[in-house]
Amino acid sequence: MTKTISGHMIIKNGVKFDYPFVEACLSILPICDEFIFIEGNGEDGTYEKLLELQSSNPKIKIFRENWQKEHFSVLSELTNVAIERCKCNYHFQIQADECVHERFLPEIKKAANTNADYFIFGVKHFFSNFNTIYNPGVYYDSFIRFAKKKTYPKLRSYDDAMSLGCPDSDSACFRENQLTGIKVFHYGYVRKPKSLIEKQKQMTKWWGYQELDQYLQDGEDAGQINWGQKFTPDKLRPFDDTHPLVIQKWIAERSDIVSSGLVKEE
């Protein structure tokens, strides 16, 4: 029997911070039997955009949760709330700044009909523009985001929700499948510069840092981010693939301002 899949995402103030949360959802929606949004009672119109999306996609379910805590652990706590809402055989966590290329969807759907308990996917991180990505080893290169629902709560979101894991038990009791050829595209560092800086200011509080990354602080002071201040060329390489169809319009709308690094209101 074909296994079912629940997609899920947590989101708050996605419009304000320029997250492609709609595109992220749409990138995996074709293989999902339901999609769960946990929306954190934001004030920027994100909830209204979700209602609009739901009106044409009956698979989408929206739940509003209290998101007042200013600590990174809220990300995994609410992700686990989303997992608990999932009703299907498998659940797929996608974050608000990620997309999956449409060519990977059949392979993911096929994977759901194997005996594996969870799957490890690869990641491509964009930086400074939409034609440049991190080299392997610069940032995290893989994570667990796709798992059988029955593995929860042993296998769950933890820490900052970057990956699923077993923080207090042995993951060896579960069957793993490496699918690192499937790449999740991460667009978190190619949002509009002003929105990127504002979000990072919030995140410094959540992680207990005192200051922004220097390249962002200098960019805010100068009115323009110097992307080369963060990484030397040996940390980066050209992106030699195509972007998912669902995010191409989003990319076109901000490509120039991201590449320029200009910190301004639009």
Side-chain angles (χ1 to χ4, degrees), residues 90-227:
Y90 280 84
H91 70 92
F92 190 151
Q93 174 198 352
I94 191 162
Q95 294 191 348
D97 57 2
E98 300 169 343
C99 272
V100 175
H101 201 289
E102 59 273 7
R103 75 170 180 275
F104 295 131
L105 298 184
E107 188 175 355
I108 296 171
K109 185 71 174 177
K110 183 179 178 181
N113 289 293
T114 69
N115 289 322
D117 292 310
Y118 68 86
F119 300 86
I120 299 175
F121 294 157
V123 192
K124 289 185 178 182
H125 303 277
F126 292 88
F127 184 77
S128 75
N129 59 64
F130 295 99
N131 300 309
T132 302
I133 57 176
Y134 293 171
N135 269 324
V138 174
Y139 205 15
Y140 57 89
D141 295 320
S142 62
F143 46 36
I144 303 168
R145 292 289 189 78
F146 189 53
K148 284 183 178 178
K149 171 65 185 299
K150 69 179 184 181
T151 63
Y152 181 84
K154 283 188 176 180
L155 183 69
R156 64 181 185 270
S157 186
Y158 67 103
D159 288 346
D160 63 356
M162 184 271 286
S163 181
L164 302 173
C166 297
D168 50 17
S169 58
D170 185 0
S171 64
C173 65
F174 296 124
R175 295 181 297 273
E176 167 195 306
N177 192 342
Q178 295 258 359
L179 292 177
T180 52
I182 294 175
K183 305 294 186 184
V184 177
F185 291 5
H186 177 220
Y187 295 95
Y189 292 103
V190 283
R191 290 175 286 130
K192 294 175 182 177
K194 185 173 179 59
S195 297
L196 174 62
I197 289 171
E198 290 303 312
K199 181 61 177 178
Q200 289 305 108
K201 284 181 178 179
Q202 182 187 77
M203 300 301 266
T204 57
K205 298 177 185 176
W206 288 15
W207 266 264
Y209 303 146
Q210 297 300 311
E211 298 176 345
L212 280 172
D213 277 0
Q214 194 61 50
Y215 83 106
L216 294 178
Q217 185 61 65
D218 290 348
E220 182 178 43
D221 294 342
Q224 186 173 19
I225 294 173
N226 174 10
W227 297 109

Side-chain angles (χ1 to χ4, degrees), residues 56-69:
S56 57
N57 294 279
K59 292 191 285 187
I60 292 174
K61 302 172 184 178
I62 305 167
F63 302 93
R64 306 198 81 179
E65 294 285 342
N66 181 35
W67 186 334
Q68 300 299 324
K69 185 177 180 181

